[in-house]
Amino acid sequence: MEWADLAQRWSPAARTELLAPQGVLVVLAVTAVAVGWSPAWRVLRLGVTLVHELGHAVVGVLSGRRFTGFVLRPDMSGHTVTVGRPRGPGLAATTWAGYPAPAVAGAVLVLAAARGWAAPVLTLTLLALLVSLVYVRSALTGVVVLAVLAAGGSLWWWRDDVVQQHVLVGLGLLLLVGAWRHLGATVRSRDAGSDSSAMARLTGVPGAVWQGSFALVCAGATWASGAALLAAWG
């Protein structure tokens, strides 16, 4: 394959007005079914957890910590290990980043799709997932990452701008809804091992405050996504 062929697969779309109201309505309907139908959600929620754990990893690395591995569990939970100082702002930022990560990633996907940048963002996402394979520490985690890579790789290889844009909108909305559902679960939980409880121990600030900060990020990401879709509709 020539370099020009590869470059074409990660370049932005020539047209940015590919999102149509009818197409987005179909995406919204499919997303609603996927989230509301329990058998589908039990599978798809692992993707939300994957983004949650990689959010810890990315912010941990940016904070100067060393990412050593992560696992996903069938019950929607997961665990990421970073090595560094046992306290301090780096660990606090790493711990905080998990719950907002799916909402932020979801908004990025929706915004990219609405602006014709689905292909570049999809390319970067696939590269990040390839790197994450090195840090997989369980069979289930490997299966989830490989499944996402296979689906995303197919979307990238057989590029169709309209399909890519609508799929990324659907994935973005799925991550946004998943972020809210995960947040709701942690608000109802009394688990001392939750991220908000860990933040309370690290900072002395009540866990409810950190839950509020997660909600603010989710709300901002939801607003940005909604505004992007409305703007794309004209």
Side-chain angles (χ1 to χ4, degrees), residues 15-122:
R15 296 168 55 228
T16 59
E17 67 278 8
L18 300 175
L19 285 176
Q22 298 88 343
V24 175
L25 287 174
V26 171
V27 170
L28 288 171
V30 172
T31 303
V33 172
V35 172
W37 186 36
S38 295
W41 178 244
R42 279 197 294 270
V43 175
L44 293 172
R45 68 184 183 179
L46 287 170
V48 182
T49 303
L50 172 63
V51 177
H52 176 116
E53 298 306 326
L54 291 180
H56 286 307
V58 169
V59 174
V61 171
L62 293 176
S63 300
R65 300 179 64 80
R66 183 164 58 89
F67 176 39
T68 61
F70 72 107
V71 297
L72 307 178
R73 304 186 185 97
D75 64 355
M76 193 171 66
S77 66
H79 184 62
T80 296
V81 177
T82 61
V83 177
R85 293 180 57 189
R87 298 191 70 84
L91 179 57
T94 301
T95 303
W96 179 85
Y99 279 104
V104 172
V108 168
L109 291 180
V110 172
L111 290 167
R115 287 168 169 74
W117 280 75
V121 169
L122 180 59

Side-chain angles (χ1 to χ4, degrees), residues 1-229:
M1 174 172 288
E2 296 182 359
W3 173 258
D5 294 327
L6 283 174
Q8 188 274 335
R9 284 180 168 79
W10 64 60
S11 59
R15 296 168 55 228
T16 59
E17 67 278 8
L18 300 175
L19 285 176
Q22 298 88 343
V24 175
L25 287 174
V26 171
V27 170
L28 288 171
V30 172
T31 303
V33 172
V35 172
W37 186 36
S38 295
W41 178 244
R42 279 197 294 270
V43 175
L44 293 172
R45 68 184 183 179
L46 287 170
V48 182
T49 303
L50 172 63
V51 177
H52 176 116
E53 298 306 326
L54 291 180
H56 286 307
V58 169
V59 174
V61 171
L62 293 176
S63 300
R65 300 179 64 80
R66 183 164 58 89
F67 176 39
T68 61
F70 72 107
V71 297
L72 307 178
R73 304 186 185 97
D75 64 355
M76 193 171 66
S77 66
H79 184 62
T80 296
V81 177
T82 61
V83 177
R85 293 180 57 189
R87 298 191 70 84
L91 179 57
T94 301
T95 303
W96 179 85
Y99 279 104
V104 172
V108 168
L109 291 180
V110 172
L111 290 167
R115 287 168 169 74
W117 280 75
V121 169
L122 180 59
T123 302
L124 292 174
T125 301
L126 291 173
L127 291 174
L129 288 171
L130 282 171
V131 172
S132 75
L133 279 173
V134 180
Y135 301 96
V136 165
R137 295 295 181 266
S138 76
L140 175 62
T141 310
V143 168
V144 172
V145 175
L146 287 173
V148 176
L149 272 169
S154 299
L155 190 65
W156 180 85
W157 184 261
W158 288 286
R159 174 172 176 171
D160 181 298
D161 289 334
V162 175
V163 173
Q164 279 191 358
Q165 285 188 285
H166 286 82
V167 170
L168 259 63
V169 167
L171 292 174
L173 295 175
L174 183 69
L175 287 173
L176 282 167
V177 175
W180 282 110
R181 290 191 64 161
H182 278 206
L183 178 59
T186 194
V187 168
R188 294 189 299 270
S189 173
R190 296 295 180 265
D191 182 8
S194 68
D195 290 354
S196 55
S197 297
M199 288 298 296
R201 292 192 296 273
L202 284 170
T203 64
V205 177
V209 174
W210 298 113
Q211 291 170 352
S213 71
F214 300 154
L216 283 175
V217 174
C218 289
T222 303
W223 178 86
S225 300
L229 291 179

